[in-house]
Amino acid sequence: MGLLNSVSFQRLQGGIDAAYKRQNVLANNVANEDTPNFKRSDVSFESFLQQQESGIKPTLNAKVTDSRHFQFGTNTIVPAAVVSTDETTSMNNNENNVDVEREMALSAENQLRYSSYVEQINSQISMMRAVIQGG
């Protein structure tokens, strides 16, 4: 196992990928603010990760045929970001459901989340560097 292949590092990478995908989706929502019948989309990642960490959502396990076999395969899966479209609501006369102010607020939240992930990765790399260099 490499230093950068740890589960926590992979989860941070998944978070950065989800934030990137979310920013593209939010930008697409804003760009289609006036498009008739356009429905906004959103990206889910953190809720899936939280469900996985709390054990609510089952994870894939290795198949065991004997009670003496080792269990493995849990807690190593990083969920993928999922894009979902809200088809049920509309708020404009053209059946569009994009609220630009909400999209901008979500974009600001996403930028903070992205910065947090990058800061955590930089912190982990700094700790690894300190260990390798001996302090």
Side-chain angles (χ1 to χ4, degrees), residues 56-67:
I56 294 173
K57 185 177 180 181
T59 58
L60 294 176
N61 294 324
K63 181 178 180 179
V64 292
T65 56
D66 191 301
S67 62

Side-chain angles (χ1 to χ4, degrees), residues 62-77:
K63 181 178 180 179
V64 292
T65 56
D66 191 301
S67 62
R68 295 173 290 172
H69 291 165
F70 289 107
Q71 289 283 340
F72 63 93
T74 60
N75 299 329
T76 59
I77 300 169

Side-chain angles (χ1 to χ4, degrees), residues 56-132:
I56 294 173
K57 185 177 180 181
T59 58
L60 294 176
N61 294 324
K63 181 178 180 179
V64 292
T65 56
D66 191 301
S67 62
R68 295 173 290 172
H69 291 165
F70 289 107
Q71 289 283 340
F72 63 93
T74 60
N75 299 329
T76 59
I77 300 169
V78 178
V82 175
V83 177
S84 59
T85 303
D86 181 9
E87 299 282 350
T88 60
T89 61
S90 64
M91 55 184 294
N92 298 327
N93 290 337
N94 60 5
E95 299 298 321
N96 189 318
N97 63 357
V98 175
D99 179 6
V100 173
E101 292 179 9
R102 181 172 187 261
E103 301 299 323
M104 299 307 278
L106 290 173
S107 179
E109 178 185 341
N110 190 49
Q111 289 173 2
L112 291 173
R113 194 174 282 155
Y114 178 85
S115 296
S116 166
Y117 291 139
V118 169
E119 189 172 313
Q120 289 178 20
I121 283 181
N122 285 337
S123 175
Q124 284 193 5
I125 290 173
S126 294
M127 286 190 291
M128 286 183 214
R129 183 180 299 137
V131 168
I132 291 170

